[in-house]
């Protein structure tokens, strides 16, 4: 149980180097991309579940209340995405998103575990890059991505940022 | 005005409405969103093949005749036939195991209907996104076309492309939900990784994305021949192809 949580955190941590990656140019070249097998970095045991999203709710690290200044974080609601559950914690510095982490993740089967690993870090990057990539929406994966966005939105709502 | 985002759990996924501009008061907008949500729930209750009591499920089991079903059922099945003809058989709701199944088209149709509810109520700029099937109305906040990121099928940290879209975009692919697509023609070899279709109607874009995901390159020319529709395909080997009208955008957007 706990083990899965740790590997997920490790997978997210392993992406830290990627966060500076610029989606830039018009497209990421596909022919040079890794084959499916070389993804993802961490492989939790199949069928494992994880992490009750222990839920401190909003934690103002500074300046709770009035204008959006300082570093604040909030945990979004936990959402089902068809095969499992996830929750997202978002951290703002002023009005800028500085950190997004998946803190609750539970999947019903090994297949969706794979999907979760591929999609969740991607979305984390997108949230952070959205401020420069400026897209209106994303097309592609379904369950996990929407649950992620849903939880993220609820976290942002808690921080009064729309 | 800041975007109003409204999310709904329905049709086995989450649908988000993003309203960027409207002449409505806050309470009128809330009422319009509630009506759009009810429209989605109504369609889900009518067409879900997962709900045993839905009219669609009863029709499939032979417990309900088409003429006794809600009028939308015949409407959607007619659209399925039309999409089947336009796709030259690559989309075939009647070849599905378990009986006629409009799943590859009805989500797009339902999302389009829900967006129309908002537009009729006075919303002038909005986008609805149901698990990557997107319909837009009016101009996005930044002006120009709507910009939609297409997920990279394998690289967790990247988009494969950013497309400029006027009205609708749908992506279908094996990486979405596993092997949920059924090939009515029985083509050999692995299916494409990601098939995206843009065009004026999300109903047809949804069905055509399903067709391209099943048929791959063979279906690109068919999509190109349909007025207003274009396709972007990422093959199982990572190769890319697209019809000439697809509009790739600089990922960093307009200056």
């Amino acid at each position: 149980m706990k083990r899965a949580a740790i590997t997920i955190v490790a997978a997210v941590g392993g992406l830290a180097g990627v966060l500076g990656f610029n989606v830039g140019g018009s497209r990421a070249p596909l022919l040079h991309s890794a084959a499916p097998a070389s993804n993802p970095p961490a492989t939790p045991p199949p069928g494992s579940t994880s992490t009750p999203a222990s839920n401190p709710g909003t934690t103002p690290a500074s300046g709770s209340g009035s204008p959006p200044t300082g570093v604040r974080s909030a945990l979004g609601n936990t959402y089902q995405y068809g095969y499992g559950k996830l929750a997202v914690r978002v951290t703002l510095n002023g009005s800028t998103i500085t950190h997004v982490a998946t803190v609750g993740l539970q999947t019903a089967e090994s297949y969706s575990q794979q999907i979760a690993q591929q999609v969740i870090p991607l979305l984390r990057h997108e949230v952070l890059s959205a401020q420069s990539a400026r897209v209106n929406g994303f097309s592609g994966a379904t369950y996990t991505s929407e649950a992620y966005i849903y939880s993220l939105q609820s976290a942002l709502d808690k921080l009064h940022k729309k | 005005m800041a975007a109003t985002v409204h999310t709904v759990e329905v049709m086995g996924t989450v649908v988000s409405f993003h309203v960027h501009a409207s002449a409505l008061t806050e309470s009128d907008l809330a009422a319009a969103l509630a009506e759009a949500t009810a429209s989605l729930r109504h369609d889900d209750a009518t067409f879900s093949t997962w709900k045993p009591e839905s009219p669609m499920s009863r029709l499939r089991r032979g417990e309900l005749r088409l003429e006794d079903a809600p009028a939308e059922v015949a409407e959607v099945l007619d659209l399925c036939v039309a999409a089947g003809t336009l796709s030259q058989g690559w989309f075939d709701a009647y070849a599905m195991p378990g009986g006629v199944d409009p799943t590859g088209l009805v989500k797009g149709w339902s999302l389009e209907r829900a967006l129309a509810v908002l537009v009729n109520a006075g919303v002038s700029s909005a986008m609805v996104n149901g698990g990557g099937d997107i319909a837009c109305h009016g101009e996005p906040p930044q002006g120009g076309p709507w910009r939609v990121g297409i997920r990279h099928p394998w690289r967790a940290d990247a988009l494969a492309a950013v497309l400029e879209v006027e009205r609708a975009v749908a992506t279908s692919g094996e990486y979405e939900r596993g092997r949920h697509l059924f090939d009515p023609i029985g083509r050999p070899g692995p299916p494409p990784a990601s098939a995206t279709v843009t065009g004026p109607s999300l109903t047809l874009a949804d069905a055509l994305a399903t067709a391209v995901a099943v048929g791959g390159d063979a279906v690109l020319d068919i999509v190109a021949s349909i007025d207003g529709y274009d396709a972007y395909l990422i093959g199982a080997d990572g190769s890319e192809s697209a019809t000439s009208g697809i509009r790739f955008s600089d990922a960093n957007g307009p200056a």
Side-chain angles (χ1 to χ4, degrees):
Chain A
M1 299 282 163
K2 281 236 157 127
R3 192 166 155 199
I6 288 159
T7 49
I8 286 155
V9 168
V12 170
L15 269 171
V18 153
L19 295 175
F21 166 78
N22 188 354
V23 177
S26 61
R27 323 166 37 192
L30 283 151
L31 288 171
H32 305 293
S33 70
S38 73
N39 227 23
T43 315
S48 65
T49 57
S50 76
T51 56
S54 61
N55 197 328
T58 307
T59 51
S62 73
S64 74
S66 45
T69 56
V71 177
R72 301 162 300 140
S73 77
L75 183 65
N77 299 334
T78 300
Y79 287 106
Q80 296 275 349
Y81 63 91
Y83 298 116
K85 295 176 182 177
L86 61 77
V88 169
R89 171 175 288 284
V90 63
T91 305
L92 301 185
N93 188 350
S95 61
T96 303
I97 298 170
T98 56
H99 190 69
V100 183
T102 306
V103 296
L105 181 64
Q106 190 173 51
T107 53
E109 56 181 60
S110 57
Y111 164 71
S112 54
Q113 193 99 36
Q114 278 182 334
I115 293 292
Q117 287 194 356
Q118 292 179 18
V119 172
I120 291 167
L122 166 62
L123 283 166
R124 176 162 177 261
H125 174 69
E126 284 167 350
V127 167
L128 291 165
S129 67
Q131 290 163 61
S132 58
R134 281 185 265 171
V135 297
N136 301 112
F138 296 99
S139 188
T142 56
Y143 290 129
T144 320
S145 56
E146 289 288 349
Y148 186 99
I149 289 165
Y150 205 6
S151 183
L152 175 68
Q153 184 61 47
S154 72
L156 291 175
D157 288 347
K158 288 175 186 171
L159 293 169
H160 308 293
K161 178 192 163 80
K162 299 275 175 164
Chain B
M1 86 182 207
T4 299
V5 180
H6 180 72
T7 49
V8 186
E9 289 180 80
V10 66
M11 301 190 294
T13 185
V14 177
V15 174
S16 358
F17 296 98
H18 297 246
V19 176
H20 295 288
S22 89
L24 301 174
T25 64
E26 203 170 315
S27 64
D28 285 349
L29 178 56
L33 286 165
E35 195 188 334
T37 299
S39 173
L40 291 174
R41 294 202 190 289
H42 171 82
D43 294 342
D44 191 29
T46 305
F47 288 99
S48 175
T49 55
W50 297 92
K51 297 179 177 174
E53 291 317 306
S54 74
M56 193 68 230
S57 291
R58 295 176 59 214
L59 185 81
R60 282 156 57 89
R61 290 197 303 267
E63 298 168 12
L64 182 69
R65 295 182 307 169
L66 184 56
E67 52 268 40
D68 298 327
E72 300 106 306
V73 174
E75 181 189 336
V76 163
L77 292 181
D78 283 348
L79 288 168
C80 286
V81 171
T85 303
L86 283 167
S87 69
Q88 300 181 19
W90 288 101
F91 174 82
D92 191 343
Y94 288 85
M96 301 297 283
V100 60
D101 187 347
T103 301
L105 172 144
V106 75
K107 186 167 80 162
W109 175 83
S110 181
L111 292 168
E112 212 163 21
R113 252 156 74 99
L115 182 62
V117 168
L118 298 184
V119 172
N120 292 336
V123 166
S124 52
S125 168
M127 181 183 85
V128 59
N129 187 344
D133 286 352
I134 295 174
C136 313
H137 174 80
E139 272 212 335
Q142 75 273 19
W146 297 81
R147 296 164 44 76
V148 177
I150 306 301
R151 299 183 198 293
H152 195 293
W154 311 302
R155 275 179 44 184
D157 58 344
L159 299 176
V162 175
L163 301 185
E164 295 183 349
V165 174
E166 297 294 337
R167 297 296 307 276
V169 58
T171 298
S172 193
E174 199 181 13
Y175 68 101
E176 284 182 47
R177 298 189 188 185
R179 292 180 174 273
H180 72 297
L181 300 170
F182 178 75
D183 181 350
I185 295 177
R187 172 182 164 278
S194 173
T196 299
V197 172
T198 63
S201 160
L202 184 56
T203 305
L204 186 53
D206 195 7
L208 291 175
T210 306
V212 175
V214 167
D217 282 319
V219 188
L220 284 190
D221 287 347
I222 296 172
V223 173
S225 73
I226 303 170
D227 197 25
Y229 290 84
D230 281 285
Y232 165 52
L233 175 65
I234 303 168
D237 60 354
S239 61
E240 295 177 273
S241 46
T243 62
S244 58
I246 261 296
R247 287 155 64 195
F248 292 107
S249 165
D250 181 346
N252 292 319

